[in-house]
Amino acid sequence: MKPPCIIIGGGLSGLAAAIRLARYIPGIVLLEQHTRLGGLNSYYYRNNTLLETGLHAITNYAEPGDKRAPLNRLLRQLKIPRKNLTFHQQITSEIIFAGKQRLLFSNDFVLLQEEIADKFPDSIDAFFDLLNFLDQFDPFAPAPFRSAKAFLLERLADPLLVDMLLCPLMYYGSSVENDMDLSQFAIMFQAIYREGFFRPHGTIRDFLTLLSDHFLSLGGEIRRGAKVTTIIQEGKRAIGVELESGEILESDFILSTIGHQETRTILGQQPVDNEPNRLGFVESIFQLPVESIPLLPRDRTVMFYSENFPFSYNQPVNLVDCRSGVICLPHNFDQITPEKTIEVRSTHLASYSNWQAIRADRLAYDKAKKQVRQQSLSVIEKYLGKFRDNIVYEDTFTPITIERYTAKRHGAIYGSPIKIKDGNIGYDNLYLAGTDQGFLGIVGSMLSGVSIVNQHILPRI
Amino acid sequence: MTNDEIKDLILEIIEDIDDEADFDNLNPDEPLRDQLDLDSMDFLDIVMELRKRHQLQIPEEDYPQLATLNSCVNYLEPLLKNA
Ligand SMILES: Cc1cc2nc3c(=O)[nH]c(=O)nc-3n(C[C@H](O)[C@H](O)[C@H](O)COP(=O)(O)OP(=O)(O)OC[C@H]3O[C@@H](n4cnc5c(N)ncnc54)[C@H](O)[C@@H]3O)c2cc1C
């Protein structure tokens, strides 16, 4: 039977879109090139343990009763009862601008307000005005790019406060260098400061299994190792897809979650001209025995630091820029009891082209990975305390790794700086969801999948 | 289906979307969305459930006719006459 809709990409946006469709339409097919689902948010096995590729903390925490909260709306749309899930909330997170100032925040928004009142007393009134502004502002209304940075500088007047507030929001959700779109700022402000961080119980593998089982139970079909090489088209209609194996699958609708340029490539189109730099990241994982817990802070979940002010969020000139970064302690969520090992994770900005230049030379590439990891370790120990003697396993992934496993152009986690907010890429029955539609992160990408399906496919299929 | 059956069908669908929905003070002439705190995403579920359960294809331009409980009944009555 010809599937009514094919979804390209088994990352979180593709899985969410697939479930949403399968709730009402039988025979939905999800195609994933990799042997494993999850895309950017997947897992692998090393040192006899499961390591997650991309889960620090999920944004948008909400209490079960809060019907309008994005998290609960998402679960409702997917028909996953909230009571089937156990969530662990963060303890406290911190923004540290070395030698300048520190700000704490948690899932209780009052903490951040108090911190700002205490440390930036001259800006607190302006901060409350900002909150009023954000309450009225509709970040989903279509609008051209507007600089959040310029807007905040004008409102809050204090450039240090502006950079400190932007740092976590950029790291967890900006595909644009040194700035973010005001709408994206409003979305991320809500997601991180007003709502906050949590983790589902277990690992990302459990979460992915829950999603894929749900999709299968609704009658969907998942094909792994199914790389789409061509989208077959007739004028403005997509007829079907061709897989690497040569197999052709026809379909009435196609939803691509692999990125805009990546989709253009399999449509046989030229890349979009003049795309600004894509942002690359390097992630290191340090695994420690559980006995090392007392060496590390007990009450910090995520730490966002910058050693330079103004904060720079751009493609570095070197392989990596450790002058700023994100440090995550995934065991520091409420009610998590690690069994044998714990992890320290670090994220820094990285240059795809510099990694690309050395990738062919395996030895140089591996050496660079190691050096970059050492560099990261030296910086993050300043904030965590010394733990290097306890490391039992360590690993680093670069933009090259991410490109290899997810086929994301330049291994850019947040995709293209240019977003296609309505998911419309000029076809009658082919749409774009996921990272390049514009909603970023785990909850964001899932909402992207759901909303593009709702907007373009469900009413017409 | 009788009008009452259609009403029950709509309420049953809404209850399925949100098991905490409170129908006690529902005014059948006021928009369902405002009263039950439904958003446009939830609203689409009503349309899709009607399609799944009764093979009704409701065109997008008719969605506004499903705004209140009574308007649902008026709109659906001829369509579900033989259901
Ligand atoms: C190191 C790291 C840390 C992160 N930390 C967090 C965090 O703490 N919190 C958070 O909320 N988010 C985090 N993220 C971001 C989050 O993972 C992503 O925003 C989200 O997973 C994006 O999902 P997506 O479905 O849009 O894209 P993807 O995950 O990229 O999904 C696309 C899928 O398509 C597949 N594909 C590509 N080409 C083809 C093809 N031709 N045929 C078939 N399949 C194809 C890919 O293999 C992939 O599975 C992190 C990401 C990384 C890498």
Side-chain angles (χ1 to χ4, degrees):
Chain A
M1 191 193 86
K2 173 166 147 182
C5 182
I6 286 175
I7 293 152
I8 310 175
L12 288 166
S13 61
L15 277 164
I19 292 172
R20 181 72 189 145
L21 280 161
R23 280 188 56 194
Y24 301 108
I25 316 284
I28 302 299
V29 174
L30 179 72
L31 302 174
E32 167 57 46
Q33 53 150 12
H34 200 32
T35 49
R36 223 168 250 161
L37 297 172
L40 290 167
N41 237 292
S42 194
Y43 57 94
Y44 60 104
Y45 293 96
R46 288 287 144 75
N47 198 31
N48 294 320
T49 41
L50 180 150
L51 297 172
E52 292 169 334
T53 57
L55 174 61
H56 285 179
I58 303 185
T59 59
N60 298 90
Y61 180 76
E63 292 296 332
D66 186 353
K67 282 192 209 176
R68 294 198 170 198
L71 176 65
N72 293 328
R73 284 168 65 187
L74 173 65
L75 294 174
R76 247 187 354 257
Q77 287 280 299
L78 301 179
K79 216 164 179 47
I80 297 176
R82 172 80 190 245
K83 57 181 182 299
N84 293 4
L85 297 162
T86 306
F87 292 150
H88 302 281
Q89 295 192 60
Q90 69 163 324
I91 314 285
T92 318
S93 292
E94 189 168 23
I95 311 160
I96 307 166
F97 272 45
K100 300 276 181 212
Q101 197 50 274
R102 293 172 168 250
L103 286 173
L104 293 169
F105 65 96
S106 68
N107 289 4
D108 181 359
F109 184 58
V110 172
L111 177 61
L112 181 64
Q113 287 171 275
E114 287 173 357
E115 286 277 294
I116 294 175
D118 184 29
K119 294 167 180 172
F120 294 92
D122 294 341
S123 297
I124 188 66
D125 292 338
F127 183 71
F128 282 117
D129 288 343
L130 172 70
L131 299 183
N132 288 333
F133 167 83
L134 290 173
D135 281 341
Q136 311 293 324
F137 181 72
D138 176 10
F140 301 105
F145 182 91
R146 186 168 163 198
S147 162
K149 187 152 188 175
F151 175 84
L152 291 171
L153 282 171
E154 196 182 297
R155 293 244 164 183
L156 296 177
D158 190 323
L160 178 62
L161 178 59
V162 170
D163 274 11
M164 290 185 79
L165 287 174
L166 281 173
C167 174
L169 309 191
M170 285 178 166
Y171 261 110
Y172 275 0
S174 180
S175 57
V176 182
E177 289 188 307
N178 289 321
D179 206 344
M180 62 201 298
D181 180 32
L182 186 63
S183 300
Q184 180 65 7
F185 166 80
I187 292 171
M188 294 308 297
F189 189 95
Q190 174 82 17
I192 294 182
Y193 296 137
R194 293 208 110 149
E195 299 183 328
F197 296 145
F198 70 100
R199 268 188 71 98
H201 189 68
T203 64
I204 190 71
R205 179 171 171 245
D206 301 321
F207 188 64
L208 290 167
T209 305
L210 180 134
L211 296 176
S212 55
D213 284 354
H214 188 37
F215 175 58
L216 296 173
S217 76
L218 292 167
E221 181 187 343
I222 300 177
R223 298 188 48 182
R224 298 158 214 251
K227 183 179 180 130
V228 176
T229 49
T230 314
I231 298 178
I232 306 160
Q233 50 197 306
E234 239 175 54
K236 292 283 162 219
R237 276 194 75 75
I239 307 292
V241 298
E242 180 169 349
L243 304 182
E244 205 172 32
S245 62
E247 188 185 347
I248 288 175
L249 281 169
E250 290 188 6
S251 179
D252 297 327
F253 284 89
I254 298 178
L255 181 69
S256 171
T257 68
I258 67 174
H260 185 208
Q261 300 275 30
E262 294 84 344
T263 304
R264 288 178 66 95
T265 305
I266 57 174
L267 279 163
Q269 297 173 0
Q270 294 302 312
V272 178
D273 285 344
N274 308 326
E275 190 189 73
N277 280 340
R278 289 180 170 227
L279 287 161
F281 298 90
V282 150
E283 173 100 359
S284 294
I285 305 172
F286 304 95
Q287 199 178 53
L288 314 170
V290 73
E291 293 74 29
S292 318
I293 288 179
L295 287 180
L296 299 164
R298 279 306 279 144
D299 52 359
R300 291 289 177 277
T301 307
V302 191
M303 296 159 96
F304 301 86
Y305 76 87
S306 175
E307 313 228 292
N308 53 329
F309 171 70
F311 166 55
S312 51
Y313 183 78
N314 51 13
Q315 183 164 258
V317 279
N318 302 316
L319 287 167
V320 63
D321 181 357
C322 291
R323 291 173 310 161
S324 76
V326 185
I327 308 166
C328 179
L329 302 174
H331 58 287
N332 279 348
F333 283 81
D334 190 35
Q335 309 270 333
I336 284 191
T337 22
E339 284 173 17
K340 293 196 190 87
T341 54
I342 56 163
E343 283 171 17
V344 174
R345 306 183 70 109
S346 70
T347 309
H348 307 282
L349 288 152
S351 153
Y352 171 78
S353 50
N354 291 339
W355 287 100
Q356 172 68 8
I358 57 169
R359 78 186 291 183
D361 182 349
R362 195 69 223 182
L363 275 171
Y365 177 78
D366 284 344
K367 197 168 148 223
K369 264 175 53 161
K370 205 165 169 193
Q371 274 170 357
V372 158
R373 188 160 61 234
Q374 288 309 310
Q375 213 180 321
S376 173
L377 184 59
S378 305
V379 186
I380 68 175
E381 279 190 332
K382 287 197 245 174
Y383 302 100
L384 296 176
K386 196 159 175 259
F387 64 89
R388 65 179 66 204
D389 297 338
N390 291 44
I391 296 170
V392 289
Y393 179 75
E394 51 186 24
D395 197 12
T396 297
F397 41 96
T398 72
I400 305 292
T401 328
I402 294 171
E403 190 181 50
R404 181 169 341 122
Y405 287 106
T406 69
K408 272 231 141 42
R409 188 177 152 91
H410 295 183
I413 296 176
Y414 298 137
S416 169
I418 302 164
K419 301 301 182 194
I420 314 285
K421 288 191 184 176
D422 63 1
N424 192 337
I425 50 172
Y427 286 81
D428 294 341
N429 59 341
L430 162 67
Y431 300 96
L432 185 73
T435 308
D436 281 351
Q437 181 270 324
F439 298 170
L440 301 174
I442 295 168
V443 171
S445 60
M446 293 180 78
L447 277 171
S448 167
V450 164
S451 57
I452 295 299
V453 162
N454 283 350
Q455 198 178 329
H456 297 296
I457 304 181
L458 269 185
R460 290 169 47 211
I461 198 164
Chain B
M1 268 192 187
T2 65
N3 286 2
D4 279 344
E5 281 168 340
I6 295 176
K7 263 186 197 157
D8 286 345
L9 170 69
I10 297 293
L11 296 181
E12 189 189 303
I13 290 175
I14 294 174
E15 193 160 26
D16 202 32
I17 297 169
D18 173 13
D19 54 15
E20 284 163 25
D22 177 9
F23 300 131
D24 287 352
N25 300 312
L26 195 70
N27 180 337
D29 290 310
E30 291 286 317
L32 289 163
R33 274 172 65 172
D34 303 349
Q35 298 183 83
L36 297 171
D37 215 0
L38 300 177
D39 58 31
S40 58
M41 286 176 143
D42 295 320
F43 189 74
L44 183 63
D45 283 30
I46 302 180
V47 175
M48 295 309 298
E49 284 293 337
L50 285 168
R51 171 163 163 193
K52 191 160 117 183
R53 297 177 190 206
H54 295 282
Q55 290 72 46
L56 288 182
Q57 284 278 13
I58 301 175
E60 262 181 282
E61 54 275 18
D62 289 354
Y63 290 2
Q65 305 210 41
L66 302 175
T68 73
L69 195 55
N70 281 343
S71 70
C72 281
V73 172
N74 292 338
Y75 178 77
L76 294 171
E77 196 215 50
L79 302 173
L80 292 172
K81 198 166 53 208
N82 302 320

